[in-house]
Amino acid sequence: DIFNRWTPDNTQTDVPRLQIGYQEANYSSDRFLVRNDAINLKNVTLGYTFPKTWMTRAGLQSLRLFVSADNLWFSSKRQGLDPRQYISGAQEAAAYSPIRTVTFGLNVKF
């Protein structure tokens, strides 16, 4: 949006001009209320527990393999804005950028 802001050469826009020191210019504005259809695949866990008959032959009680993933995929029609983040520019202790995490595991019972 910043490339389409008001300038003396670009007066036919709905994006306000940049003004130094006036950060509250849009606090009470509804111009940032836009449709933001998004889809987020946040958490997936897949696992396989081997059959007991196989495990008794191997001398084990049980064996399970698994993979777990967080923040696998995110898609939004709105470019340049992550709706999972604050848009006011404020920093909060609980705010973080979602990172992708993949964990592999093995549970064995002897």
Side-chain angles (χ1 to χ4, degrees), residues 9-30:
D9 297 328
N10 184 29
T11 58
Q12 300 300 315
T13 181
D14 64 345
V15 181
R17 70 176 186 207
L18 289 179
Q19 184 172 337
I20 296 173
Y22 190 41
Q23 296 178 355
E24 294 83 22
N26 293 308
Y27 273 13
S28 61
S29 173
D30 64 353

mmCIF file with all atom_site columns, all heavy atoms in Angstrom, residues 9-30:
data_model
loop_
_atom_site.group_PDB
_atom_site.id
_atom_site.type_symbol
_atom_site.label_atom_id
_atom_site.label_alt_id
_atom_site.label_comp_id
_atom_site.label_asym_id
_atom_site.label_entity_id
_atom_site.label_seq_id
_atom_site.pdbx_PDB_ins_code
_atom_site.Cartn_x
_atom_site.Cartn_y
_atom_site.Cartn_z
_atom_site.occupancy
_atom_site.B_iso_or_equiv
_atom_site.pdbx_formal_charge
_atom_site.auth_seq_id
_atom_site.auth_comp_id
_atom_site.auth_asym_id
_atom_site.auth_atom_id
_atom_site.pdbx_PDB_model_num
ATOM 1   N N   . ASP A 1 9  ? 2.185   14.099 -6.881 1.00 0.00 ? 9  ASP A N   1
ATOM 2   C CA  . ASP A 1 9  ? 1.974   13.541 -8.222 1.00 0.00 ? 9  ASP A CA  1
ATOM 3   C C   . ASP A 1 9  ? 0.901   12.454 -8.242 1.00 0.00 ? 9  ASP A C   1
ATOM 4   O O   . ASP A 1 9  ? 0.426   12.086 -9.312 1.00 0.00 ? 9  ASP A O   1
ATOM 5   C CB  . ASP A 1 9  ? 3.283   12.944 -8.755 1.00 0.00 ? 9  ASP A CB  1
ATOM 6   C CG  . ASP A 1 9  ? 4.364   14.002 -8.910 1.00 0.00 ? 9  ASP A CG  1
ATOM 7   O OD1 . ASP A 1 9  ? 4.025   15.161 -9.202 1.00 0.00 ? 9  ASP A OD1 1
ATOM 8   O OD2 . ASP A 1 9  ? 5.546   13.653 -8.734 1.00 0.00 ? 9  ASP A OD2 1
ATOM 9   N N   . ASN A 1 10 ? 0.551   11.917 -7.079 1.00 0.00 ? 10 ASN A N   1
ATOM 10  C CA  . ASN A 1 10 ? -0.446  10.838 -6.995 1.00 0.00 ? 10 ASN A CA  1
ATOM 11  C C   . ASN A 1 10 ? -1.555  11.266 -6.034 1.00 0.00 ? 10 ASN A C   1
ATOM 12  O O   . ASN A 1 10 ? -1.576  10.878 -4.880 1.00 0.00 ? 10 ASN A O   1
ATOM 13  C CB  . ASN A 1 10 ? 0.212   9.545  -6.515 1.00 0.00 ? 10 ASN A CB  1
ATOM 14  C CG  . ASN A 1 10 ? -0.741  8.380  -6.496 1.00 0.00 ? 10 ASN A CG  1
ATOM 15  O OD1 . ASN A 1 10 ? -1.680  8.323  -7.277 1.00 0.00 ? 10 ASN A OD1 1
ATOM 16  N ND2 . ASN A 1 10 ? -0.512  7.445  -5.595 1.00 0.00 ? 10 ASN A ND2 1
ATOM 17  N N   . THR A 1 11 ? -2.462  12.071 -6.521 1.00 0.00 ? 11 THR A N   1
ATOM 18  C CA  . THR A 1 11 ? -3.535  12.587 -5.667 1.00 0.00 ? 11 THR A CA  1
ATOM 19  C C   . THR A 1 11 ? -4.799  11.731 -5.736 1.00 0.00 ? 11 THR A C   1
ATOM 20  O O   . THR A 1 11 ? -5.688  11.886 -4.912 1.00 0.00 ? 11 THR A O   1
ATOM 21  C CB  . THR A 1 11 ? -3.891  14.038 -6.059 1.00 0.00 ? 11 THR A CB  1
ATOM 22  O OG1 . THR A 1 11 ? -4.284  14.052 -7.434 1.00 0.00 ? 11 THR A OG1 1
ATOM 23  C CG2 . THR A 1 11 ? -2.699  14.960 -5.846 1.00 0.00 ? 11 THR A CG2 1
ATOM 24  N N   . GLN A 1 12 ? -4.897  10.823 -6.674 1.00 0.00 ? 12 GLN A N   1
ATOM 25  C CA  . GLN A 1 12 ? -6.077  9.971  -6.831 1.00 0.00 ? 12 GLN A CA  1
ATOM 26  C C   . GLN A 1 12 ? -5.849  8.624  -6.127 1.00 0.00 ? 12 GLN A C   1
ATOM 27  O O   . GLN A 1 12 ? -5.707  7.590  -6.758 1.00 0.00 ? 12 GLN A O   1
ATOM 28  C CB  . GLN A 1 12 ? -6.366  9.741  -8.327 1.00 0.00 ? 12 GLN A CB  1
ATOM 29  C CG  . GLN A 1 12 ? -6.628  11.007 -9.093 1.00 0.00 ? 12 GLN A CG  1
ATOM 30  C CD  . GLN A 1 12 ? -7.835  11.770 -8.562 1.00 0.00 ? 12 GLN A CD  1
ATOM 31  O OE1 . GLN A 1 12 ? -8.872  11.174 -8.289 1.00 0.00 ? 12 GLN A OE1 1
ATOM 32  N NE2 . GLN A 1 12 ? -7.693  13.076 -8.413 1.00 0.00 ? 12 GLN A NE2 1
ATOM 33  N N   . THR A 1 13 ? -5.792  8.651  -4.800 1.00 0.00 ? 13 THR A N   1
ATOM 34  C CA  . THR A 1 13 ? -5.556  7.446  -4.013 1.00 0.00 ? 13 THR A CA  1
ATOM 35  C C   . THR A 1 13 ? -6.316  7.525  -2.701 1.00 0.00 ? 13 THR A C   1
ATOM 36  O O   . THR A 1 13 ? -6.683  8.607  -2.263 1.00 0.00 ? 13 THR A O   1
ATOM 37  C CB  . THR A 1 13 ? -4.046  7.261  -3.744 1.00 0.00 ? 13 THR A CB  1
ATOM 38  O OG1 . THR A 1 13 ? -3.860  6.061  -3.000 1.00 0.00 ? 13 THR A OG1 1
ATOM 39  C CG2 . THR A 1 13 ? -3.465  8.433  -2.975 1.00 0.00 ? 13 THR A CG2 1
ATOM 40  N N   . ASP A 1 14 ? -6.538  6.364  -2.107 1.00 0.00 ? 14 ASP A N   1
ATOM 41  C CA  . ASP A 1 14 ? -7.164  6.345  -0.782 1.00 0.00 ? 14 ASP A CA  1
ATOM 42  C C   . ASP A 1 14 ? -6.142  6.027  0.309  1.00 0.00 ? 14 ASP A C   1
ATOM 43  O O   . ASP A 1 14 ? -6.495  5.817  1.458  1.00 0.00 ? 14 ASP A O   1
ATOM 44  C CB  . ASP A 1 14 ? -8.316  5.339  -0.740 1.00 0.00 ? 14 ASP A CB  1
ATOM 45  C CG  . ASP A 1 14 ? -7.842  3.910  -0.949 1.00 0.00 ? 14 ASP A CG  1
ATOM 46  O OD1 . ASP A 1 14 ? -6.688  3.715  -1.397 1.00 0.00 ? 14 ASP A OD1 1
ATOM 47  O OD2 . ASP A 1 14 ? -8.617  2.995  -0.665 1.00 0.00 ? 14 ASP A OD2 1
ATOM 48  N N   . VAL A 1 15 ? -4.863  6.006  -0.057 1.00 0.00 ? 15 VAL A N   1
ATOM 49  C CA  . VAL A 1 15 ? -3.795  5.758  0.915  1.00 0.00 ? 15 VAL A CA  1
ATOM 50  C C   . VAL A 1 15 ? -3.237  7.117  1.346  1.00 0.00 ? 15 VAL A C   1
ATOM 51  O O   . VAL A 1 15 ? -2.776  7.895  0.513  1.00 0.00 ? 15 VAL A O   1
ATOM 52  C CB  . VAL A 1 15 ? -2.675  4.886  0.306  1.00 0.00 ? 15 VAL A CB  1
ATOM 53  C CG1 . VAL A 1 15 ? -1.590  4.609  1.339  1.00 0.00 ? 15 VAL A CG1 1
ATOM 54  C CG2 . VAL A 1 15 ? -3.250  3.593  -0.244 1.00 0.00 ? 15 VAL A CG2 1
ATOM 55  N N   . PRO A 1 16 ? -3.289  7.426  2.649  1.00 0.00 ? 16 PRO A N   1
ATOM 56  C CA  . PRO A 1 16 ? -2.840  8.754  3.087  1.00 0.00 ? 16 PRO A CA  1
ATOM 57  C C   . PRO A 1 16 ? -1.343  8.980  2.877  1.00 0.00 ? 16 PRO A C   1
ATOM 58  O O   . PRO A 1 16 ? -0.581  8.047  2.726  1.00 0.00 ? 16 PRO A O   1
ATOM 59  C CB  . PRO A 1 16 ? -3.183  8.778  4.577  1.00 0.00 ? 16 PRO A CB  1
ATOM 60  C CG  . PRO A 1 16 ? -3.529  7.409  4.964  1.00 0.00 ? 16 PRO A CG  1
ATOM 61  C CD  . PRO A 1 16 ? -3.771  6.610  3.752  1.00 0.00 ? 16 PRO A CD  1
ATOM 62  N N   . ARG A 1 17 ? -0.971  10.243 2.926  1.00 0.00 ? 17 ARG A N   1
ATOM 63  C CA  . ARG A 1 17 ? 0.436   10.607 2.770  1.00 0.00 ? 17 ARG A CA  1
ATOM 64  C C   . ARG A 1 17 ? 1.236   10.190 3.994  1.00 0.00 ? 17 ARG A C   1
ATOM 65  O O   . ARG A 1 17 ? 0.688   9.989  5.093  1.00 0.00 ? 17 ARG A O   1
ATOM 66  C CB  . ARG A 1 17 ? 0.563   12.103 2.567  1.00 0.00 ? 17 ARG A CB  1
ATOM 67  C CG  . ARG A 1 17 ? 0.238   12.870 3.828  1.00 0.00 ? 17 ARG A CG  1
ATOM 68  C CD  . ARG A 1 17 ? 0.452   14.348 3.658  1.00 0.00 ? 17 ARG A CD  1
ATOM 69  N NE  . ARG A 1 17 ? 0.244   14.970 4.960  1.00 0.00 ? 17 ARG A NE  1
ATOM 70  C CZ  . ARG A 1 17 ? -0.153  16.184 5.137  1.00 0.00 ? 17 ARG A CZ  1
ATOM 71  N NH1 . ARG A 1 17 ? -0.395  16.952 4.104  1.00 0.00 ? 17 ARG A NH1 1
ATOM 72  N NH2 . ARG A 1 17 ? -0.309  16.670 6.346  1.00 0.00 ? 17 ARG A NH2 1
ATOM 73  N N   . LEU A 1 18 ? 2.510   10.084 3.829  1.00 0.00 ? 18 LEU A N   1
ATOM 74  C CA  . LEU A 1 18 ? 3.401   9.848  4.959  1.00 0.00 ? 18 LEU A CA  1
ATOM 75  C C   . LEU A 1 18 ? 3.659   11.178 5.644  1.00 0.00 ? 18 LEU A C   1
ATOM 76  O O   . LEU A 1 18 ? 3.866   12.196 4.979  1.00 0.00 ? 18 LEU A O   1
ATOM 77  C CB  . LEU A 1 18 ? 4.729   9.267  4.484  1.00 0.00 ? 18 LEU A CB  1
ATOM 78  C CG  . LEU A 1 18 ? 4.712   7.835  3.983  1.00 0.00 ? 18 LEU A CG  1
ATOM 79  C CD1 . LEU A 1 18 ? 6.094   7.425  3.519  1.00 0.00 ? 18 LEU A CD1 1
ATOM 80  C CD2 . LEU A 1 18 ? 4.215   6.888  5.045  1.00 0.00 ? 18 LEU A CD2 1
ATOM 81  N N   . GLN A 1 19 ? 3.634   11.164 6.959  1.00 0.00 ? 19 GLN A N   1
ATOM 82  C CA  . GLN A 1 19 ? 3.900   12.379 7.698  1.00 0.00 ? 19 GLN A CA  1
ATOM 83  C C   . GLN A 1 19 ? 4.755   12.028 8.903  1.00 0.00 ? 19 GLN A C   1
ATOM 84  O O   . GLN A 1 19 ? 4.347   11.238 9.759  1.00 0.00 ? 19 GLN A O   1
ATOM 85  C CB  . GLN A 1 19 ? 2.596   13.029 8.150  1.00 0.00 ? 19 GLN A CB  1
ATOM 86  C CG  . GLN A 1 19 ? 2.802   14.353 8.843  1.00 0.00 ? 19 GLN A CG  1
ATOM 87  C CD  . GLN A 1 19 ? 1.480   15.063 9.097  1.00 0.00 ? 19 GLN A CD  1
ATOM 88  O OE1 . GLN A 1 19 ? 0.485   14.807 8.433  1.00 0.00 ? 19 GLN A OE1 1
ATOM 89  N NE2 . GLN A 1 19 ? 1.487   15.963 10.056 1.00 0.00 ? 19 GLN A NE2 1
ATOM 90  N N   . ILE A 1 20 ? 5.926   12.590 8.976  1.00 0.00 ? 20 ILE A N   1
ATOM 91  C CA  . ILE A 1 20 ? 6.865   12.302 10.057 1.00 0.00 ? 20 ILE A CA  1
ATOM 92  C C   . ILE A 1 20 ? 6.297   12.745 11.395 1.00 0.00 ? 20 ILE A C   1
ATOM 93  O O   . ILE A 1 20 ? 5.761   13.840 11.530 1.00 0.00 ? 20 ILE A O   1
ATOM 94  C CB  . ILE A 1 20 ? 8.221   12.996 9.793  1.00 0.00 ? 20 ILE A CB  1
ATOM 95  C CG1 . ILE A 1 20 ? 8.849   12.418 8.531  1.00 0.00 ? 20 ILE A CG1 1
ATOM 96  C CG2 . ILE A 1 20 ? 9.159   12.846 10.976 1.00 0.00 ? 20 ILE A CG2 1
ATOM 97  C CD1 . ILE A 1 20 ? 10.110  13.129 8.083  1.00 0.00 ? 20 ILE A CD1 1
ATOM 98  N N   . GLY A 1 21 ? 6.404   11.869 12.392 1.00 0.00 ? 21 GLY A N   1
ATOM 99  C CA  . GLY A 1 21 ? 6.001   12.204 13.747 1.00 0.00 ? 21 GLY A CA  1
ATOM 100 C C   . GLY A 1 21 ? 4.507   12.102 14.023 1.00 0.00 ? 21 GLY A C   1
ATOM 101 O O   . GLY A 1 21 ? 4.057   12.454 15.100 1.00 0.00 ? 21 GLY A O   1
ATOM 102 N N   . TYR A 1 22 ? 3.731   11.630 13.068 1.00 0.00 ? 22 TYR A N   1
ATOM 103 C CA  . TYR A 1 22 ? 2.291   11.530 13.281 1.00 0.00 ? 22 TYR A CA  1
ATOM 104 C C   . TYR A 1 22 ? 1.871   10.070 13.138 1.00 0.00 ? 22 TYR A C   1
ATOM 105 O O   . TYR A 1 22 ? 1.211   9.677  12.190 1.00 0.00 ? 22 TYR A O   1
ATOM 106 C CB  . TYR A 1 22 ? 1.540   12.424 12.305 1.00 0.00 ? 22 TYR A CB  1
ATOM 107 C CG  . TYR A 1 22 ? 0.061   12.562 12.597 1.00 0.00 ? 22 TYR A CG  1
ATOM 108 C CD1 . TYR A 1 22 ? -0.414  12.704 13.897 1.00 0.00 ? 22 TYR A CD1 1
ATOM 109 C CD2 . TYR A 1 22 ? -0.858  12.564 11.571 1.00 0.00 ? 22 TYR A CD2 1
ATOM 110 C CE1 . TYR A 1 22 ? -1.765  12.827 14.161 1.00 0.00 ? 22 TYR A CE1 1
ATOM 111 C CE2 . TYR A 1 22 ? -2.221  12.701 11.824 1.00 0.00 ? 22 TYR A CE2 1
ATOM 112 C CZ  . TYR A 1 22 ? -2.659  12.828 13.115 1.00 0.00 ? 22 TYR A CZ  1
ATOM 113 O OH  . TYR A 1 22 ? -3.989  12.950 13.380 1.00 0.00 ? 22 TYR A OH  1
ATOM 114 N N   . GLN A 1 23 ? 2.239   9.262  14.105 1.00 0.00 ? 23 GLN A N   1
ATOM 115 C CA  . GLN A 1 23 ? 2.004   7.828  14.051 1.00 0.00 ? 23 GLN A CA  1
ATOM 116 C C   . GLN A 1 23 ? 0.560   7.451  14.374 1.00 0.00 ? 23 GLN A C   1
ATOM 117 O O   . GLN A 1 23 ? 0.125   6.358  14.073 1.00 0.00 ? 23 GLN A O   1
ATOM 118 C CB  . GLN A 1 23 ? 2.944   7.104  15.006 1.00 0.00 ? 23 GLN A CB  1
ATOM 119 C CG  . GLN A 1 23 ? 4.391   7.275  14.607 1.00 0.00 ? 23 GLN A CG  1
ATOM 120 C CD  . GLN A 1 23 ? 5.317   6.604  15.593 1.00 0.00 ? 23 GLN A CD  1
ATOM 121 O OE1 . GLN A 1 23 ? 4.893   6.088  16.609 1.00 0.00 ? 23 GLN A OE1 1
ATOM 122 N NE2 . GLN A 1 23 ? 6.598   6.628  15.293 1.00 0.00 ? 23 GLN A NE2 1
ATOM 123 N N   . GLU A 1 24 ? -0.178  8.337  15.018 1.00 0.00 ? 24 GLU A N   1
ATOM 124 C CA  . GLU A 1 24 ? -1.553  8.039  15.394 1.00 0.00 ? 24 GLU A CA  1
ATOM 125 C C   . GLU A 1 24 ? -2.553  8.407  14.298 1.00 0.00 ? 24 GLU A C   1
ATOM 126 O O   . GLU A 1 24 ? -3.757  8.396  14.527 1.00 0.00 ? 24 GLU A O   1
ATOM 127 C CB  . GLU A 1 24 ? -1.932  8.766  16.696 1.00 0.00 ? 24 GLU A CB  1
ATOM 128 C CG  . GLU A 1 24 ? -1.168  8.276  17.914 1.00 0.00 ? 24 GLU A CG  1
ATOM 129 C CD  . GLU A 1 24 ? 0.204   8.939  18.038 1.00 0.00 ? 24 GLU A CD  1
ATOM 130 O OE1 . GLU A 1 24 ? 0.404   10.026 17.464 1.00 0.00 ? 24 GLU A OE1 1
ATOM 131 O OE2 . GLU A 1 24 ? 1.076   8.358  18.688 1.00 0.00 ? 24 GLU A OE2 1
ATOM 132 N N   . ALA A 1 25 ? -2.092  8.737  13.125 1.00 0.00 ? 25 ALA A N   1
ATOM 133 C CA  . ALA A 1 25 ? -2.975  9.220  12.059 1.00 0.00 ? 25 ALA A CA  1
ATOM 134 C C   . ALA A 1 25 ? -4.088  8.245  11.718 1.00 0.00 ? 25 ALA A C   1
ATOM 135 O O   . ALA A 1 25 ? -5.184  8.654  11.367 1.00 0.00 ? 25 ALA A O   1
ATOM 136 C CB  . ALA A 1 25 ? -2.156  9.522  10.807 1.00 0.00 ? 25 ALA A CB  1
ATOM 137 N N   . ASN A 1 26 ? -3.829  6.960  11.829 1.00 0.00 ? 26 ASN A N   1
ATOM 138 C CA  . ASN A 1 26 ? -4.820  5.974  11.405 1.00 0.00 ? 26 ASN A CA  1
ATOM 139 C C   . ASN A 1 26 ? -5.424  5.180  12.556 1.00 0.00 ? 26 ASN A C   1
ATOM 140 O O   . ASN A 1 26 ? -6.119  4.198  12.328 1.00 0.00 ? 26 ASN A O   1
ATOM 141 C CB  . ASN A 1 26 ? -4.183  5.008  10.400 1.00 0.00 ? 26 ASN A CB  1
ATOM 142 C CG  . ASN A 1 26 ? -3.839  5.691  9.115  1.00 0.00 ? 26 ASN A CG  1
ATOM 143 O OD1 . ASN A 1 26 ? -4.675  6.353  8.515  1.00 0.00 ? 26 ASN A OD1 1
ATOM 144 N ND2 . ASN A 1 26 ? -2.601  5.567  8.689  1.00 0.00 ? 26 ASN A ND2 1
ATOM 145 N N   . TYR A 1 27 ? -5.183  5.568  13.786 1.00 0.00 ? 27 TYR A N   1
ATOM 146 C CA  . TYR A 1 27 ? -5.697  4.795  14.920 1.00 0.00 ? 27 TYR A CA  1
ATOM 147 C C   . TYR A 1 27 ? -7.217  4.697  14.913 1.00 0.00 ? 27 TYR A C   1
ATOM 148 O O   . TYR A 1 27 ? -7.774  3.672  15.257 1.00 0.00 ? 27 TYR A O   1
ATOM 149 C CB  . TYR A 1 27 ? -5.232  5.397  16.242 1.00 0.00 ? 27 TYR A CB  1
ATOM 150 C CG  . TYR A 1 27 ? -3.885  4.884  16.696 1.00 0.00 ? 27 TYR A CG  1
ATOM 151 C CD1 . TYR A 1 27 ? -3.059  4.168  15.854 1.00 0.00 ? 27 TYR A CD1 1
ATOM 152 C CD2 . TYR A 1 27 ? -3.435  5.124  17.974 1.00 0.00 ? 27 TYR A CD2 1
ATOM 153 C CE1 . TYR A 1 27 ? -1.831  3.704  16.267 1.00 0.00 ? 27 TYR A CE1 1
ATOM 154 C CE2 . TYR A 1 27 ? -2.205  4.667  18.402 1.00 0.00 ? 27 TYR A CE2 1
ATOM 155 C CZ  . TYR A 1 27 ? -1.406  3.956  17.540 1.00 0.00 ? 27 TYR A CZ  1
ATOM 156 O OH  . TYR A 1 27 ? -0.196  3.497  17.963 1.00 0.00 ? 27 TYR A OH  1
ATOM 157 N N   . SER A 1 28 ? -7.891  5.761  14.556 1.00 0.00 ? 28 SER A N   1
ATOM 158 C CA  . SER A 1 28 ? -9.357  5.731  14.584 1.00 0.00 ? 28 SER A CA  1
ATOM 159 C C   . SER A 1 28 ? -9.948  5.532  13.197 1.00 0.00 ? 28 SER A C   1
ATOM 160 O O   . SER A 1 28 ? -11.142 5.698  13.006 1.00 0.00 ? 28 SER A O   1
ATOM 161 C CB  . SER A 1 28 ? -9.893  7.021  15.206 1.00 0.00 ? 28 SER A CB  1
ATOM 162 O OG  . SER A 1 28 ? -9.484  8.125  14.418 1.00 0.00 ? 28 SER A OG  1
ATOM 163 N N   . SER A 1 29 ? -9.128  5.192  12.241 1.00 0.00 ? 29 SER A N   1
ATOM 164 C CA  . SER A 1 29 ? -9.592  5.002  10.873 1.00 0.00 ? 29 SER A CA  1
ATOM 165 C C   . SER A 1 29 ? -10.063 3.567  10.648 1.00 0.00 ? 29 SER A C   1
ATOM 166 O O   . SER A 1 29 ? -9.554  2.630  11.258 1.00 0.00 ? 29 SER A O   1
ATOM 167 C CB  . SER A 1 29 ? -8.450  5.319  9.901  1.00 0.00 ? 29 SER A CB  1
ATOM 168 O OG  . SER A 1 29 ? -8.828  4.990  8.585  1.00 0.00 ? 29 SER A OG  1
ATOM 169 N N   . ASP A 1 30 ? -11.023 3.408  9.757  1.00 0.00 ? 30 ASP A N   1
ATOM 170 C CA  . ASP A 1 30 ? -11.465 2.066  9.398  1.00 0.00 ? 30 ASP A CA  1
ATOM 171 C C   . ASP A 1 30 ? -10.885 1.624  8.053  1.00 0.00 ? 30 ASP A C   1
ATOM 172 O O   . ASP A 1 30 ? -11.281 0.611  7.510  1.00 0.00 ? 30 ASP A O   1
ATOM 173 C CB  . ASP A 1 30 ? -12.990 1.991  9.373  1.00 0.00 ? 30 ASP A CB  1
ATOM 174 C CG  . ASP A 1 30 ? -13.590 2.874  8.297  1.00 0.00 ? 30 ASP A CG  1
ATOM 175 O OD1 . ASP A 1 30 ? -12.848 3.643  7.653  1.00 0.00 ? 30 ASP A OD1 1
ATOM 176 O OD2 . ASP A 1 30 ? -14.812 2.793  8.106  1.00 0.00 ? 30 ASP A OD2 1
#
